Amino acid sequence: LIAGNTLKVSAQISDSDKIISDGKVLWDYYSGRVDDNSNYAAMTYWSVYYKSGIIPLHGDTVTADLQTWTVLKKNSWVLPDKKSNELLQHEQGHFHFAILSALEFKKIVFSTTLFKSNYAQKIDSVFKTTLNKYKQMEIQYDEETNHSLNKNGQMLWNKKFEEMLTQ
């Protein structure tokens, strides 16, 4: 997936080295055990991971050597009789938050002055802050779409995702 033509994020299914083509989820990836206590038709669980190192610049400053990847966790599930394109589009929105979080994290780190003495703590702080931002946005997403039932709200978010992923 390319956003802004410069930053790339890879995606995979948890415990698998199968790459999710273009960051698009498919119902085939939803193999987790259905939560019988849930009121929802599907659940998308995701994580963002990173690995970092440094490249010395001048004096005490460094630049990050940073890799990020997003994972659709294997406990993501869907009720078999509820699979639909509309619901999959909603669940795709949840995975978009993982991708957007990873992209913004990389963008911030690459635009931040880092020092040898505390680069790891700084990168970790940016990661946690960015991840929290998108987890909060994900809650707003479900509220404004009523978990995909509000068609107008879903349409507005789909447009928002399209804009955010192409910036």
Side-chain angles (χ1 to χ4, degrees):
L1 179 72
I2 300 176
N5 298 325
T6 56
L7 299 177
K8 297 180 183 182
V9 176
S10 65
Q12 70 185 48
I13 300 170
S14 184
D15 295 337
S16 166
D17 56 3
K18 181 178 178 188
I19 300 297
I20 300 173
S21 176
D22 295 328
K24 301 287 186 212
V25 297
L26 300 173
W27 283 134
D28 292 348
Y29 304 158
Y30 286 73
S31 59
R33 193 171 70 78
V34 172
D35 180 355
D36 295 328
N37 296 319
S38 175
N39 295 323
Y40 306 122
M43 286 296 293
T44 297
Y45 296 102
W46 55 266
S47 293
V48 177
Y49 298 97
Y50 76 93
K51 185 167 57 171
S52 68
I54 54 169
I55 301 167
L57 288 178
H58 344 274
D60 197 29
T61 60
V62 296
T63 189
D65 178 14
L66 186 65
Q67 296 174 350
T68 62
W69 60 99
T70 55
V71 173
L72 179 67
K73 299 183 85 164
K74 66 181 179 181
N75 59 334
S76 297
W77 58 266
V78 60
L79 291 171
D81 63 333
K82 297 295 184 183
K83 292 179 183 178
S84 69
N85 290 336
E86 292 79 20
L87 182 58
L88 184 61
Q89 187 174 46
H90 178 78
E91 297 307 311
Q92 178 67 58
H94 284 288
F95 196 68
H96 283 329
F97 288 112
I99 294 166
L100 290 165
S101 176
L103 289 169
E104 184 170 323
F105 166 62
K106 286 178 83 168
K107 185 177 180 179
I108 292 170
V109 168
F110 289 141
S111 66
T112 300
T113 301
L114 300 170
F115 298 95
K116 284 182 203 173
S117 60
N118 68 347
Y119 77 90
Q121 296 90 337
K122 181 67 175 172
I123 290 172
D124 193 52
S125 174
V126 169
F127 179 75
K128 288 176 180 170
T129 300
T130 306
L131 195 60
N132 186 53
K133 171 186 172 180
Y134 284 94
K135 290 288 188 182
Q136 293 303 312
M137 200 181 293
E138 189 174 25
I139 292 167
Q140 179 185 352
Y141 171 63
D142 269 336
E143 289 172 354
E144 292 178 5
T145 63
N146 190 20
H147 303 274
S148 83
L149 300 176
N150 177 339
K151 303 300 181 204
N152 188 52
Q154 187 67 54
M155 190 176 64
L156 291 171
W157 269 98
N158 293 345
K159 183 173 173 46
K160 188 183 290 193
F161 286 131
E162 191 176 310
E163 292 168 0
M164 293 169 76
L165 287 166
T166 57
Q167 287 182 0

